[in-house]
């Protein structure tokens, strides 16, 4: 059985924090690979600040180039309408029939899991991995216990270095004409500049 991690998200844009999280989970859980799946039209976000899906997909593709344990899929980018995790997991089960999936989330997403479409069915397709992001471990454990009891979700916890970088921070710095060097890969820095993204 393949053990595969899933990094879903808007990646608006992808930054080194995402890459560190993926690498930490890969090695902590001894996974065979991590699938990066940029969202098409995310159901929980306002679209006005979200770069076009193809741009976000390309930035992920360029960021993970050279790491044979990382792959990017365009399942959600190609899907029309709003993107829901349950639909993606069903597709992945068809693509990787003999796989155990570990969907990687942060604490902010953990708190919102009860709002996800068909959350009571997701346990059939994937486990979850929650990573700390300046979060209280006791609070994380309370949510893990709650979701296991209510939704039968299997949620593991992986401790990662606390990285004070977010996509929001990067977008703000771009608008303020501040440097984002070393916060994103060189590929992404150049891509954002060449395509004039996040300038408002």
């Amino acid at each position: 059985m393949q053990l595969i991690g899933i990094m879903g998200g808007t990646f608006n844009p992808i930054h080194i924090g995402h890459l560190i999280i993926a690498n930490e989970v890969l090695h902590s859980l001894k996974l065979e690979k991590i699938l990066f799946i940029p969202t098409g039209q995310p159901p929980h976000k306002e679209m006005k600040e979200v770069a076009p899906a193809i741009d976000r997909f390309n930035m992920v593709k360029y960021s993970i180039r050279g790491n044979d344990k990382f792959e990017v899929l365009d399942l959600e980018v190609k899907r029309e309408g709003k993107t829901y995790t349950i639909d993606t997991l069903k597709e992945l089960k068809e693509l990787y029939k003999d796989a155990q999936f570990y969907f990687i989330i942060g604490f902010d997403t953990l708190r919102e899991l009860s709002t996800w479409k068909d959350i009571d069915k997701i346990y059939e397709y994937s486990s979850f991995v929650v990573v700390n992001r300046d979060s209280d471990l006791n609070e994380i454990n309370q949510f893990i216990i709650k979701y296991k009891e209510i939704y039968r979700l299997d949620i593991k916890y992986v401790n990662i270095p606390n990285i004070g970088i977010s996509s929001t921070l990067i977008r703000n710095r771009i608008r303020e004409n501040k440097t984002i060097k070393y916060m994103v890969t060189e590929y992404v820095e150049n891509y954002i500049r060449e395509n004039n993204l996040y300038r408002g």
Side-chain angles (χ1 to χ4, degrees), residues 76-115:
E76 296 189 353
V77 169
K78 292 191 302 186
R79 189 181 302 145
E80 294 183 4
K82 289 192 181 294
T83 296
Y84 294 101
T85 300
I86 186 71
D87 301 321
T88 300
L89 289 173
K90 287 176 180 178
E91 281 191 67
L92 288 174
K93 275 296 185 185
E94 290 298 313
L95 292 172
Y96 303 91
K97 296 187 185 299
D98 184 36
Q100 170 62 50
F101 294 114
Y102 295 90
F103 200 100
I104 303 163
I105 59 174
F107 181 55
D108 50 348
T109 302
L110 180 71
R111 287 184 296 192
E112 298 174 354
L113 276 183
S114 60
T115 69

Side-chain angles (χ1 to χ4, degrees), residues 61-79:
K61 180 174 69 174
Y62 295 144
S63 290
I64 66 174
R65 183 184 291 173
N67 188 332
D68 62 1
K69 298 289 187 182
F70 289 174
E71 294 180 26
V72 60
L73 298 180
D74 60 359
L75 299 179
E76 296 189 353
V77 169
K78 292 191 302 186
R79 189 181 302 145

Side-chain angles (χ1 to χ4, degrees), residues 10 12 14 22 36 52 88 92 100 109 112 127 137 161 163 175 184:
T10 316
N12 189 42
I14 187 170
F36 287 77
T88 300
L92 288 174
Q100 170 62 50
T109 302
E112 298 174 354
S127 297
L137 185 54
I163 307 148
R175 279 193 290 269
V184 298

